[in-house]
């Protein structure tokens, strides 16, 4: 852990979207107490002009060029090694902070907090936009006061301002995997946090960028990788009896899709992996909890 010299460290992994990164950087105030860390994940030379890389000539921005190409999890871990801030923020290069976001953070943060959870907005009006799901968790929280919906129901790092000492004391790092690298970092962090606050202000804008990892075509390998991450997520939730927050890794839809698109042999491999590495019974139990939660939501809406 580096010494604490700044108030905030904003860690931004980047790959192949320099103009969007430029927008993200412009949304962060250029203040002496804000450390901005950009980690390029081996971007393509035909997509990025490294002689004019965003932030390279800005004294408020630290740029680290990695050649390993290990993904956002690895890039964020590189950023953590250089973080000097008392508080940690994580942004994606194609997103940005709303006007006044850091004024709200300055007002809300205090010495008694381990983490501040805030809401997000979006550049998309689609119901399936990522921000819609997150905003829905906040709406349900403010209705029910069930803080697990926000603490353990949102597995991304963008909606959190985290006390850096908590992260470094517990040795928290991001998984260096193809998808879902941030899930267990956030779940473990929320599990360790004892002092926290949840606010309704929307401080961060999620953008739905075509071609990003979130919107790539769902191949069998991607489904398999999501299932691996889902096992870790569900085991964490299972131990806390938070079945309603589970991620479906086995369901009629998944079974039908694998058989239709990839064949019965692939389905057998998929199910056997769950059985050997975790528990098929637990996977079904978690899916039942997911359905029960959905049923309650629909009953409320009706």
């Amino acid at each position: 852990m580096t010494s604490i010299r700044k108030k905030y460290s904003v860690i931004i992994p980047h790959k192949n979207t320099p103009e969007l990164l430029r927008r993200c950087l412009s949304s962060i105030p250029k203040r002496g107490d804000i450390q901005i860390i950009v980690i390029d994940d081996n971007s393509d030379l035909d997509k990025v002009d490294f002689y004019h890389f965003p932030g390279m000539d800005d004294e408020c921005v630290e740029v680290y060029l990695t050649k390993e190409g290990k993904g956002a999890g690895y890039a964020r871990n590189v950023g953590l090694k250089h973080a000097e801030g008392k508080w940690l923020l994580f942004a994606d290069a194609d997103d940005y902070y709303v006007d006044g976001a850091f004024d709200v953070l300055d007002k809300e943060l205090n010495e008694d907090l381990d983490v501040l959870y805030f809401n997000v907005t979006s550049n998309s009006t689609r119901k399936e936009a990522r921000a819609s799901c997150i905003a829905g968790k906040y709406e349900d929280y403010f209705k029910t006061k069930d803080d697990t919906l926000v603490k353990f129901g949102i597995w991304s790092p963008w909606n959190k301002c985290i006390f850096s000492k908590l992260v470094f004391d517990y040795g928290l790092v991001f998984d260096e995997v193809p998808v879902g690298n941030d899930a267990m970092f956030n779940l473990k962090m929320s599990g360790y946090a004892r002092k926290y606050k949840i606010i309704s202000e929307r401080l961060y804008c999620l953008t739905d960028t075509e071609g990003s990892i979130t919107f790539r075509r769902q191949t069998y390998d991607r489904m398999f990788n999501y299932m691996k991450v889902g096992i870790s997520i569900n085991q964490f939730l299972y131990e806390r009896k938070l079945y309603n927050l589970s991620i479906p890794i086995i369901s009629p839809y998944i079974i039908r899709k694998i058989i239709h698109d990839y064949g019965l042999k692939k389905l057998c491999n998929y199910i056997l992996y769950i059985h050997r590495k975790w528990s098929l019974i637990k996977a079904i139990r978690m899916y039942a909890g997911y359905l029960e939660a959905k049923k309650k939501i629909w009953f409320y809406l009706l």
Side-chain angles (χ1 to χ4, degrees), residues 192-210:
Y192 290 130
R194 292 293 173 264
K195 305 169 185 175
Y196 56 90
K197 183 191 294 186
I198 302 173
I199 63 174
S200 61
E201 283 84 351
R202 300 171 184 262
L203 306 185
Y204 185 83
C205 184
L206 287 170
T207 63
D208 289 344
T209 306
E210 295 297 332

Side-chain angles (χ1 to χ4, degrees), residues 17 21 30 35 61 66 68 131 148-149 153-154 162 198 220 301:
T17 58
L21 172 60
K30 301 304 185 290
Q35 177 193 27
V61 181
T66 68
E68 292 79 2
T148 64
L149 294 169
I154 302 171
I162 308 165
I198 302 173
Y220 177 77
L301 291 174

Side-chain angles (χ1 to χ4, degrees), residues 223-271:
M223 289 184 69
F224 205 91
N225 285 328
Y226 274 118
M227 176 264 288
K228 289 180 181 179
V229 174
I231 287 176
S232 298
I233 292 171
N234 285 348
Q235 178 59 27
F236 181 96
L237 298 172
Y238 187 88
E239 292 170 357
R240 289 158 180 78
K241 296 183 170 56
L242 297 172
Y243 310 126
N244 59 309
L245 300 178
S246 66
I247 179 172
I249 60 173
I250 191 71
S251 70
Y253 168 79
I254 291 173
I255 292 171
R256 287 195 302 269
K257 180 171 178 57
I258 294 177
I259 291 176
H260 180 270
D261 293 351
Y262 312 111
L264 188 59
K265 184 177 179 180
K266 292 290 189 182
L267 176 65
C268 291
N269 291 340
Y270 184 95
I271 292 175

Side-chain angles (χ1 to χ4, degrees), residues 82-99:
H82 296 279
E84 300 176 355
K86 182 176 181 179
W87 300 96
L88 298 174
L89 290 158
F90 298 92
D92 282 354
D94 51 354
D95 300 331
Y96 56 92
Y97 291 94
V98 304
D99 291 342

Side-chain angles (χ1 to χ4, degrees), residues 108-122:
E108 295 289 349
L109 291 170
N110 60 65
E111 296 292 334
D112 292 329
L113 288 180
D114 289 322
V115 57
L116 175 72
Y117 301 90
F118 50 86
N119 208 341
V120 300
T121 185
S122 176

